[in-house]
Amino acid sequence: QQQVKQSPQSLIVQKGGISIINCAYENTAFDYFPWYQQFPGKGPALLIAIRPDVSEKKEGRFTISFNKSAKQFSLHIMDSQPGDSATYFCAASRANAGKSTFGDGTTLTVKP
Amino acid sequence: EPEVTQTPSHQVTQMGQEVILRCVPISNHLYFYWYRQILGQKVEFLVSFYNNEISEKSEIFDDQFSVERPDGSNFTLKIRSTKLEDSAMYFCASRNTGGGEQFFGPGTRLTVL
């Protein structure tokens, strides 16, 4: 019930391409869905987040698509750049509990 | 811009020794968390803390672990008798209101020999 499943485990994209990472959750009580970007040796940094009252949120090159009925959400990185190479984690939480349940992570490599 | 800070950045200890990891959350935040990340694995929740008490803990957070907010600024994680499998990155996080963004610190790398 508390799991968040993330795929793919790793992703290689050419510069300028679109990177797509998918997550699925089980617990319908989750109501906050952030994506974190993590560089080696650093802590996770919030990239973008969505709540289930909207189906899409866009910030610059980053877009979250959210499908409440399927309990799935995805991160799209448009015009991927070598500087986007990092590990990306999806997560889910309940507003009144606050702790985040993380996916397994996706290592993104953007080739120049 | 306010940020969560953690000290030390790297702690090396012998198995069986006690360690204290320190965190200074963002000053007006009310909810505090510890997570850990074993090398190459996902981030795992350990414990949440609100209003000077533990609000939730995971099965990882056994009797060897404790947390404390000894003053108005620090938030500590103590491991009483470290095991080899405690070797990981430990992240502190804090947030302001009842829902929304958690701000993570840079982490403490704990190595147990």
Side-chain angles (χ1 to χ4, degrees):
Chain A
Q1 268 278 311
Q2 294 296 321
Q3 278 191 326
V4 176
K5 296 181 181 178
Q6 183 173 346
S7 63
Q9 186 175 8
S10 63
L11 182 61
I12 299 174
V13 173
Q14 289 295 127
K15 179 182 175 182
I18 302 173
S19 305
I20 301 175
I21 306 170
N22 300 297
C23 280
Y25 63 98
E26 299 172 353
N27 188 345
T28 55
F30 289 143
D31 57 5
Y32 179 72
F33 302 90
W35 284 91
Y36 291 92
Q37 181 187 57
Q38 185 181 33
F39 292 105
K42 303 293 184 182
L46 180 69
L47 193 61
I48 186 172
I50 198 168
R51 296 190 187 276
D53 52 346
V54 296
S55 60
E56 186 175 282
K57 183 175 181 179
K58 183 175 181 179
E59 291 183 0
R61 296 185 294 111
F62 302 93
T63 299
I64 299 179
S65 296
F66 186 82
N67 186 330
K68 188 174 180 179
S69 60
K71 293 186 284 186
Q72 294 175 347
F73 58 110
S74 60
L75 175 69
H76 297 234
I77 305 175
M78 311 299 288
D79 187 27
S80 299
Q81 299 297 311
D84 296 331
S85 297
T87 300
Y88 292 81
F89 291 95
C90 63
S93 66
R94 291 177 292 143
N96 62 351
K99 72 166 187 182
S100 290
T101 300
F102 282 77
D104 288 340
T106 296
T107 301
L108 172 66
T109 302
V110 181
K111 297 207 165 187
Chain B
E1 185 173 326
E3 59 183 12
V4 177
T5 60
Q6 291 185 243
T7 54
S9 58
H10 191 191
Q11 174 89 46
V12 181
T13 190
Q14 294 291 324
M15 188 170 57
Q17 294 297 304
E18 175 183 287
V19 295
I20 298 176
L21 310 183
R22 291 182 167 80
C23 168
V24 178
I26 295 173
S27 63
N28 62 342
H29 284 189
L30 303 175
Y31 299 81
F32 313 111
Y33 309 85
W34 283 101
Y35 294 83
R36 81 170 186 191
Q37 184 179 32
I38 295 171
L39 185 63
Q41 298 186 23
K42 68 179 175 183
V43 179
E44 299 176 289
F45 168 75
L46 292 178
V47 65
S48 58
F49 192 86
Y50 170 71
N51 201 25
N52 281 320
E53 61 183 22
I54 291 173
S55 47
E56 189 173 359
K57 60 184 180 180
S58 73
E59 63 275 8
I60 302 169
F61 194 88
D62 61 21
D63 292 344
Q64 293 300 312
F65 291 86
S66 62
V67 289
E68 193 176 37
R69 187 155 163 83
D71 52 42
S73 60
N74 291 281
F75 180 50
T76 63
L77 174 69
K78 182 193 291 187
I79 309 175
R80 289 190 184 82
S81 179
T82 50
K83 306 181 184 72
L84 295 176
E85 55 264 36
D86 293 328
S87 295
M89 284 288 287
Y90 288 80
F91 295 105
C92 172
S94 69
R95 66 180 172 89
N96 192 2
T97 57
E101 181 178 358
Q102 293 183 20
F103 291 82
F104 283 79
T108 293
R109 178 173 298 282
L110 176 64
T111 301
V112 182
L113 303 176

